């Protein structure tokens, strides 16, 4: 266990070194976050209006039935969100690939690559949205054990598609081929369930937990001071800090996914990634 943690930490540090050398990578999760919020506002505003209307209808004793259009609307929401997230993740992966190869690349270059792959990105977003809708529908209809099974299926899907974004950023393939390519690459050199990605998740889980505790203390102290400007300032600092943590985590996971893709595809990750650690993360069968 100690060895796995040490390797995870080493891979996390290597990803962080890439991010420190090119902080522009943080722009992609920032753009993604802003756009997903805009998409959510676009879709949820009419939903909120409809909920208020339903409340009035129920107040007169009229039952409300869920229309099939609601599921169409939900699917379109999923599709829009997935498209935005995958688009900017692909742009990040394109720039990270260049950095790991020792080349120069800008935010503009990454966005250009993502635009050139937009057809495949949209196709994969359709697949991801469909899978997400099906898993959600199953969770709503199954009991506790069924939900655990569905959760395991979702985890398996996440692992199987872990390298799809780097594939989309580096290869001119369709969405189905990208999924198949990701699965084949993971089968070829399967190991300790992506310990580096798990290490990043664990590290930021601990950091986020500590940050939340500190944030709660700061907000409580601000409220106790009964100073409105201080309360507003503390809440703003907390929200910005948590958003920054999320951006850093997303960037690190993107860099690590590209490093694993390059290791499996080319036999090396580059940019300071320890070859032995990667071999431990992906042991040959």
């Amino acid at each position: 266990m100690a060895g796995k943690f040490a390797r995870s930490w080493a891979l996390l540090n290597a990803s962080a070194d890439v991010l420190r050398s090119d902080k522009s990578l943080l722009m992609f999760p920032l753009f993604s976050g802003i756009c997903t919020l805009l998409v959510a506002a676009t879709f949820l505003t009419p939903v909120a209006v409809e909920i208020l209307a339903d409340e009035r209808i129920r107040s007169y004793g009229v039952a409300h039935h869920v229309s099939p259009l609601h599921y169409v609307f939900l699917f379109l929401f999923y599709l829009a969100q997935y498209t935005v997230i995958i688009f900017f993740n692909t742009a990040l992966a394109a720039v990270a690939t260049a950095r790991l190869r020792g080349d120069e690349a800008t935010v503009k270059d990454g966005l250009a690559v993502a635009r050139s792959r937009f057809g495949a990105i949209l196709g994969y977003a359709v697949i991801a949205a469909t899978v997400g809708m099906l898993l959600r529908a199953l969770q709503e209809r199954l009991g506790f054990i069924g939900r655990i099974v569905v959760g395991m299926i979702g985890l398996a899907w996440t692992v199987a598609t872990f390298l799809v974004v780097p594939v989309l950023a580096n290869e001119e393939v369709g969405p189905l081929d990208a999924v198949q390519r990701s699965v084949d690459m993971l089968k070829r050199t399967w190991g300790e369930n992506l310990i580096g990605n798990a290490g990043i998740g664990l590290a930021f889980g601990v950091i986020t937990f500590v940050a939340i505790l500190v944030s709660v203390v700061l907000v409580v102290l601000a409220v106790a001071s009964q100073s409105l400007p201080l309360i507003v300032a503390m809440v703003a600092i907390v929200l910005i800090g948590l958003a920054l943590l999320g951006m850093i985590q997303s960037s690190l996971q993107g860099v690590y996914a590209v490093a694993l893709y390059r290791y499996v595809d080319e036999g090396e990750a580059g940019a300071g990634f320890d070859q032995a650690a990667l071999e431990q993360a992906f042991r040959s069968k």
Side-chain angles (χ1 to χ4, degrees), residues 87-124:
F87 178 87
F88 287 109
N89 283 350
T90 301
L92 187 153
V95 176
T97 299
R99 286 296 182 183
L100 290 174
R101 288 175 176 162
D103 300 328
E104 294 294 324
T106 64
V107 171
K108 184 179 179 180
D109 294 330
L111 294 175
V113 171
R115 284 196 299 271
S116 71
R117 308 283 200 273
F118 187 75
I121 289 171
L122 181 60
Y124 178 54

Side-chain angles (χ1 to χ4, degrees), residues 228-279:
L228 182 58
L230 182 59
I231 294 173
V232 172
M234 283 300 174
V235 170
I237 290 172
V238 167
L239 292 178
I240 292 172
L242 293 177
L244 183 59
L245 278 178
M247 289 165 54
I248 294 173
Q249 180 179 1
S250 179
S251 298
L252 290 180
Q253 287 175 326
V255 171
Y256 179 70
V258 171
L260 288 182
Y261 166 82
R262 292 198 67 234
Y263 171 73
V264 177
D265 189 53
E266 303 177 20
E268 63 176 6
F273 276 85
D274 181 62
Q275 196 77 1
L278 284 167
E279 289 171 358

Side-chain angles (χ1 to χ4, degrees), residues 162-186:
F162 182 71
L163 296 179
V164 167
V165 167
V167 169
L168 290 175
N170 289 278
E171 303 178 21
E172 294 184 3
V173 297
L176 291 175
D177 290 336
V179 173
Q180 187 60 54
R181 181 95 166 102
S182 175
V183 172
D184 290 343
M185 294 178 85
L186 290 170

Side-chain angles (χ1 to χ4, degrees), residues 145-213:
I145 300 299
R147 291 178 181 176
I148 294 177
V149 173
V150 170
M152 293 176 65
I153 295 173
L155 178 61
W157 168 257
T158 300
V159 171
T161 57
F162 182 71
L163 296 179
V164 167
V165 167
V167 169
L168 290 175
N170 289 278
E171 303 178 21
E172 294 184 3
V173 297
L176 291 175
D177 290 336
V179 173
Q180 187 60 54
R181 181 95 166 102
S182 175
V183 172
D184 290 343
M185 294 178 85
L186 290 170
K187 281 182 179 179
R188 192 191 317 163
T189 47
W190 182 253
E192 299 177 2
N193 195 22
L194 308 176
I195 61 166
N197 190 52
I200 292 173
L202 176 61
F204 274 88
V206 173
I207 292 171
T208 302
F209 178 74
V210 173
I212 290 174
L213 288 180

